[in-house]
Amino acid sequence: MAFEGVEATAVQAASRPAYCDLVADWTGAGQGTAELYLRMAEHQLRGVSPSYEALCRAIAGSEAVCAQLDRLPRDKRQPNLLLGAVRYLDGPVDDPATFLDFVTAQWAVVADTMMTHLTQTNEPGRCATLLPLLASLPQPLALVEVGASAGLCLYPDRYSYRYTTSMGEHRLGDSDILLSCAVTGPVPLPERLPAVVWRAGLDLNPLQPNREDDRRWLASLIWPEQIDRAERLDRALDLVAADPPRLDVGDLLTDLPGLLADAPPDATLVVFHSAVLAYLNHGQRSRFTDVMHDLKRTRGVHWVSNEAPGVIRGADIDPRPHNRFVLAHDGVPLAVTGPHGHSLDWLP
Ligand SMILES: C[S@@+](CC[C@H](N)C(=O)[O-])C[C@H]1O[C@@H](n2cnc3c(N)ncnc32)[C@H](O)[C@@H]1O
């Protein structure tokens, strides 16, 4: 799966085992740095980001840059972190030779940026894949997102939506931030946006939508050709900055019950997450599944997950989709989703 991104001085110690595991999951055991970048070029970037594909191939072919990367901890060698760091530093990303020269000449500051940041991409487009399930629950909702980043997915009621089906279009909402999603299967497309009466997020390192440096880092993590995503990110950050959610610093394995204690008792309590559990190792994912089943039993929590296949015990589907997520309710798979929210294929 594609790495997502982060800033995190404070996060590093706590998250290192999880990131190591993510690297191992993604690259396969024993894979070297050149192979890591070639694999990224082949499987993630080809046909999506020609500029980054060329850069990753060039990095893989540069013994000098690979040797520099090899001096970093394994979890810090990931392509999206290096590419995001160079963009954050306003380095060149449109020509492989100039890029390699920049990385070599500026290695100290590039490495420092990589060491002090984590991939932490926040994609509001994912709300399009969460919305039908959220709208089908008893309203109103108290929403809690674990791994919230800057909290952009905590506002599914503030965006507008265009679902494209074989029958035509289904539109919803009047926001000028429009999320488009192609759907197949018996998806329960809602007539109304969900009513959200309370929202809060939990993250090891919450980002602030009104903090210039956080915005810059989030923008640096979007691949250069994805101009629509970059524009949408900017507008969603403005929307959320105008009415910021509660974002607590905390670990989803230990700090969720404390946050839930503050939720209003008369709303349907939903805990959701997307593109987060890949940051946990296998044991941590299993513990989190136990936490959620326990909260379901004791607090009546609805658990909504949108994660890569295979990361939630019992919520996998076969055959595994390539580069896509599985939407599940209380651990039961409902749909296969595009990782940035552009598609929703409801299971029969
Ligand atoms: C890729 S971002 C996804 C953000 C958002 N859920 C979305 O879909 O746009 C993953 C987030 O999970 C957070 N995270 C990773 N491990 C965590 C943990 N154990 N507890 C809380 N947050 C965590 C990271 O800091 C990061 O902000």
Side-chain angles (χ1 to χ4, degrees):
M1 67 161 287
F3 266 100
E4 300 279 10
V6 194
E7 169 162 357
T9 338
V11 176
Q12 285 176 26
S15 64
R16 179 146 301 160
Y19 276 91
C20 286
D21 185 69
L22 181 56
V23 172
D25 273 3
W26 187 45
T27 62
Q31 197 162 54
T33 300
E35 288 96 318
L36 176 66
Y37 279 75
L38 274 183
R39 193 178 157 106
M40 177 80 181
E42 283 287 321
H43 296 286
Q44 305 286 328
L45 298 167
R46 192 159 59 155
V48 183
S49 176
S51 62
Y52 271 11
E53 182 189 353
L55 296 187
C56 282
R57 291 189 189 283
I59 294 160
S62 166
E63 281 183 24
V65 171
C66 286
Q68 296 281 37
L69 287 166
D70 284 342
R71 290 194 193 99
L72 299 179
R74 184 171 168 78
D75 57 312
K76 289 290 178 183
R77 297 173 203 161
Q78 46 175 294
N80 275 331
L81 188 56
L82 172 60
L83 296 164
V86 171
R87 287 186 80 206
Y88 176 77
L89 296 169
D90 276 335
V93 292
D94 44 8
D95 173 61
T98 323
F99 174 89
L100 293 179
D101 286 348
F102 177 88
V103 170
T104 307
Q106 303 293 328
W107 177 249
V109 64
V110 170
D112 183 63
T113 305
M114 293 173 73
M115 290 302 294
T116 54
H117 291 69
L118 296 166
T119 52
Q120 205 168 354
T121 304
N122 201 181
E123 178 48 72
R126 291 176 182 140
C127 287
T129 52
L130 301 174
L131 191 83
L133 173 53
L134 294 178
S136 74
L137 300 175
Q139 306 291 309
L141 306 178
L143 284 184
V144 175
E145 183 181 13
V146 293
S149 183
L152 305 186
C153 294
L154 276 166
Y155 291 75
D157 51 332
R158 303 278 182 88
Y159 304 120
S160 52
Y161 300 86
R162 178 175 55 209
Y163 291 101
T164 312
T165 72
S166 58
M167 310 288 286
E169 277 189 4
H170 181 87
R171 283 183 174 254
L172 207 61
D174 55 12
S175 164
D176 62 356
I177 304 176
L178 176 67
L179 309 180
S180 297
C181 182
V183 303
T184 64
V187 53
L189 288 175
E191 293 302 328
R192 282 194 202 90
L193 292 171
V196 181
V197 291
W198 192 81
R199 60 191 104 220
L202 188 68
D203 201 289
L204 291 173
N205 181 55
L207 298 181
Q208 304 305 324
N210 52 10
R211 191 169 164 250
E212 200 42 48
D213 195 56
D214 288 354
R215 293 177 71 115
R216 184 176 166 79
W217 178 240
L218 285 169
S220 302
L221 292 167
I222 294 182
W223 299 347
E225 291 84 354
Q226 298 178 324
I227 293 162
D228 288 357
R229 284 187 66 210
E231 287 172 359
R232 185 169 69 192
L233 171 73
D234 209 39
R235 285 191 287 142
L237 285 167
D238 285 345
L239 181 146
V240 173
D243 177 21
R246 168 176 171 180
L247 287 178
D248 287 7
V249 177
D251 190 319
L252 56 80
L253 288 172
T254 49
D255 300 318
L256 195 45
L259 181 55
L260 296 185
D262 293 340
D266 47 0
T268 299
L269 192 50
V270 180
V271 173
F272 75 99
H273 48 91
S274 65
V276 173
L277 295 198
Y279 290 60
L280 273 57
N281 64 33
H282 294 293
Q284 290 168 327
R285 290 176 200 162
S286 190
R287 269 174 59 206
F288 181 68
T289 302
D290 291 340
V291 167
M292 290 313 304
H293 284 307
D294 200 44
L295 287 170
K296 173 88 194 158
R297 206 171 43 249
T298 57
R299 297 285 318 270
V301 163
H302 288 264
W303 174 27
V304 174
S305 56
N306 186 43
E307 297 288 344
V311 302
I312 295 184
R313 195 181 67 214
D316 204 0
I317 55 175
D318 192 25
R320 292 181 177 193
H322 183 57
N323 286 346
R324 303 185 73 201
F325 287 172
V326 176
L327 176 73
H329 181 204
D330 295 334
V332 177
L334 296 180
V336 176
T337 68
H340 296 135
H342 50 279
S343 67
L344 176 62
D345 298 311
W346 210 262
L347 300 172

